[in-house]
Amino acid sequence: QKEVEQNSGPLSVPEGAIASLNCTYSDRGSQSFFWYRQYSGKSPELIMFIYSNGDKEDGRFTAQLNKASQYVSLLIRDSQPSDSATYLCAGTSIGGYQKVTFGTGTKLQVIP
Amino acid sequence: DTGVSQNPRHKITKRGQNVTFRCDPISEHNRLYWYRQTLGQGPEFLTYFQNEAQLEKSRLLSDRFSAERPKGSFSTLEIQRTEQGDSAMYLCASGRGPQETQYFGPGTRLLVL
């Protein structure tokens, strides 16, 4: 079982819609979670991080964390074609050395 | 530019040759990470430094791979006797402490022929 799992997609949404990206994790020791956006051929770019249960909003992005369900999500409101990319979910554990484990990513396509 | 930088950006080499990549982290970051990413996969953790100390290495890091961060600033990743399976994007990231986010450099794309 992979430690961080994502649906590889592609997830297609029309321009202006809400895109919902989901991620589950198996390590209950995971404390912090990150969403990165990666355009083809480029390196990952941080979108958001979250470490408390609940929602965290930043502009058009909302990250949601439910530690009881071991579930993390990212909502993108008013999706734009420029949001088309692969979105990587990552989790880290506290205690000992900080190791970040990435999912395989979900490819998002925003259709104009 | 105060971001993470990596050199070279691209490297083509023949099987059996040695290659070395360099990473310059964000200056105030004491943590430095190396990852490898292949097509369709997320970044895979290779190794991690806190200052000059290499504190963790993945099992992915065979004895052909070695990483250093001699003065706690820049880091090098060397691959000896490269194999075609080493072809990948090698990513460096830096951060400042527990729970801190990691910021990635542009990566070095390696192709082993």
Side-chain angles (χ1 to χ4, degrees):
Chain A
Q1 180 187 9
K2 291 184 179 178
E3 293 183 40
V4 177
E5 295 211 42
Q6 297 180 257
N7 187 321
S8 61
L11 172 67
S12 295
V13 299
E15 183 175 355
I18 295 175
S20 178
L21 303 161
N22 304 314
C23 170
T24 59
Y25 61 95
S26 60
D27 181 4
R28 285 198 173 272
S30 296
Q31 297 287 321
S32 300
F33 299 89
F34 308 89
W35 283 100
Y36 286 86
R37 177 175 62 197
Q38 187 171 29
Y39 294 112
S40 180
K42 302 296 185 182
S43 63
E45 173 193 7
L46 179 70
I47 298 292
M48 293 188 72
F49 68 91
I50 186 168
Y51 46 82
S52 299
N53 271 328
D55 296 0
K56 180 180 179 182
E57 186 174 321
D58 184 0
R60 296 187 297 114
F61 300 96
T62 298
Q64 300 174 319
L65 173 59
N66 184 326
K67 291 188 178 182
S69 301
Q70 296 177 246
Y71 177 90
V72 192
S73 66
L74 179 70
L75 301 178
I76 307 174
R77 289 181 297 281
D78 187 24
S79 296
Q80 302 297 308
S82 58
D83 295 327
S84 298
T86 295
Y87 288 80
L88 297 164
C89 173
T92 189
S93 297
I94 199 167
Y97 311 128
Q98 184 185 31
K99 175 186 173 184
V100 177
T101 302
F102 284 82
T104 55
T106 298
K107 186 171 183 178
L108 173 66
Q109 294 177 339
V110 180
I111 303 166
Chain B
D1 185 7
T2 58
V4 180
S5 62
Q6 292 186 247
N7 288 289
R9 297 289 304 277
H10 303 273
K11 180 70 177 179
I12 300 174
T13 191
K14 293 182 179 179
R15 184 165 51 95
Q17 297 295 304
N18 298 344
V19 294
T20 300
F21 309 141
R22 174 174 171 134
C23 171
D24 287 88
I26 293 170
S27 58
E28 61 265 32
H29 287 181
N30 60 348
R31 295 183 174 218
L32 186 147
Y33 308 80
W34 284 100
Y35 294 87
R36 179 173 67 188
Q37 186 176 27
T38 53
L39 198 62
Q41 300 298 314
E44 295 177 294
F45 172 82
L46 293 179
T47 191
Y48 151 67
F49 291 86
Q50 183 166 329
N51 299 312
E52 66 275 9
Q54 187 175 20
L55 297 184
E56 187 171 1
K57 293 194 295 184
S58 165
R59 285 169 292 179
L60 291 174
L61 214 65
S62 75
D63 57 4
R64 296 185 299 107
F65 288 71
S66 62
E68 294 182 342
R69 194 181 182 197
K71 297 182 179 178
S73 56
F74 73 92
S75 175
T76 58
L77 177 68
E78 181 183 17
I79 309 174
Q80 296 181 327
R81 306 182 302 281
T82 52
E83 302 173 355
Q84 289 181 324
D86 297 331
S87 296
M89 173 82 91
Y90 288 83
L91 294 162
C92 175
S94 71
R96 198 157 41 183
Q99 309 288 18
E100 282 285 332
T101 55
Q102 297 179 20
Y103 297 91
F104 283 86
T108 295
R109 187 172 295 279
L110 173 67
L111 178 60
V112 182
L113 301 176

